[in-house]
Amino acid sequence: MSEIVVALRDVWKYYTIESRPVAVLRGVSATIKRGEIVGIHGPSGAGKTTLLKIMAGLEKPDRGEVVVDGYLLTALDDKALATLRNTVIGFVPQDAGLIEELTVFENIELPLLIAGVDKEERRKRVEELIEYIGLRGREKALPKYLSGGERQRVAIARALANTPSVILADEPTANLDWANAKRVLQLFDRIRRDFGTTIVIVTHDPRVLEFTDRKFLLEDGLLREIPGL
Ligand SMILES: Nc1ncnc2c1ncn2[C@@H]1O[C@H](COP(=O)(O)OP(=O)(O)OP(=O)(O)O)[C@@H](O)[C@H]1O
Ligand SMILES: [Mg+2]
């Protein structure tokens, strides 16, 4: 369980804000091990989403290195990154990011379709995932008919479809009442136990940190580990 799955080495990211370069990340370094659940906390605008997208290969850092499950993301081209994002990395965007025109089944099926999994196998896998997240019977529902917690669980199932090494979740409990937030956090814990998945949760809610093995604070462009209780 000591294998490093995510390594960030001196990661810098600048954005041009009001025509001036502003360093949002100013030398972020951290390592995360297989099977760990890690929380990243920080004020709005601290760069949490930016950092998570960099870990997902969705944004490129201006400086520094990012290694995910042995792959040096910063050395890969867009095609290789896209493949990695569909296999090794599962991303749960800030608003769940479901495709509103597709059903629950089709949303979860999408990464399998992209990975070239055949139809019968896709059907089996999606049904398994729907059962796993406790949404049996809702296969044909469109996202607009789901509750916030259900949408998050579908987004998590979609991220889990190709059994990634790491799931990166951006504010997965935002806009949920605490009972539903806990359900989402318990689902992450179950995923980690069942599949050994590493899970990184970005959150502005300090209560979420009680569910994580390690806690980091992102502030002033730097990531610091908050010592355990
Ligand atoms: N594509 C972009 N272009 C320019 N500035 C950006 C871009 N994306 C983010 N920023 C800026 O970078 C800073 C960090 O944004 P980011 O979304 O990473 O913060 P956050 O910690 O996720 O905030 P929140 O808690 O509100 O989601 C903000 O000041 C934001 O305005
Ligand atoms: Mg954000």
Side-chain angles (χ1 to χ4, degrees):
M1 290 289 270
S2 64
E3 190 193 341
I4 289 169
V5 173
V6 179
L8 302 165
R9 298 192 194 112
D10 196 27
V11 170
W12 287 71
K13 181 73 184 178
Y14 293 87
Y15 283 127
T16 305
I17 298 170
E18 288 170 9
S19 44
R20 283 173 47 201
V22 174
V24 175
L25 304 176
R26 309 162 67 94
V28 168
S29 296
T31 53
I32 302 169
K33 290 177 194 151
R34 191 170 304 281
E36 275 187 321
I37 301 186
V38 162
I40 298 178
H41 182 54
S44 184
K48 303 182 298 296
T49 296
T50 303
L51 182 60
L52 207 66
K53 283 184 172 171
I54 287 175
M55 286 191 218
L58 286 163
E59 290 260 10
K60 284 192 190 306
D62 292 303
R63 223 167 86 191
E65 284 182 348
V66 182
V67 182
V68 178
D69 210 8
Y71 295 94
L72 180 60
L73 297 196
T74 35
L76 298 178
D77 61 22
D78 289 348
K79 191 160 176 272
L81 278 176
T83 304
L84 222 60
R85 279 203 302 269
N86 197 47
T87 50
V88 173
I89 300 164
F91 189 68
V92 183
Q94 192 148 5
D95 57 353
L98 299 178
I99 299 175
E100 298 297 328
E101 293 75 18
L102 299 183
T103 63
V104 164
F105 185 101
E106 290 162 342
N107 266 282
I108 299 173
E109 186 186 28
L110 207 54
L112 299 163
L113 203 63
I114 293 167
V117 176
D118 74 52
K119 193 170 178 195
E120 186 48 29
E121 217 175 307
R122 289 202 306 268
R123 189 189 58 75
K124 264 175 61 189
R125 178 74 180 135
V126 175
E127 280 176 6
E128 202 176 271
L129 286 159
I130 287 176
E131 178 83 46
Y132 192 76
I133 59 167
L135 280 184
R136 213 160 140 207
R138 307 301 303 276
E139 291 80 355
K140 294 193 177 128
L142 288 171
K144 68 176 171 187
Y145 297 114
L146 302 179
S147 72
E150 288 168 344
R151 291 172 69 92
Q152 278 299 329
R153 275 151 46 213
V154 171
I156 293 166
R158 183 184 57 184
L160 187 61
N162 287 315
T163 46
S165 307
V166 54
I167 290 181
L168 306 168
D170 198 352
E171 303 278 6
T173 64
N175 313 316
L176 300 186
D177 60 51
W178 187 236
N180 275 303
K182 270 208 299 219
R183 238 180 129 177
V184 165
L185 295 167
Q186 282 155 359
L187 176 60
F188 282 132
D189 194 49
R190 193 148 56 90
I191 290 170
R192 174 261 290 279
R193 273 190 281 122
D194 290 344
F195 310 107
T197 317
T198 301
I199 294 163
V200 181
I201 303 171
V202 153
T203 183
H204 64 260
D205 185 347
R207 288 179 300 181
V208 171
L209 299 177
E210 288 164 29
F211 284 76
T212 64
D213 303 320
R214 288 164 72 208
K215 308 138 202 348
F216 289 89
L217 179 67
L218 183 63
E219 207 175 32
D220 302 325
L222 289 169
L223 193 64
R224 307 192 266 115
E225 186 158 2
I226 309 167
L229 302 171

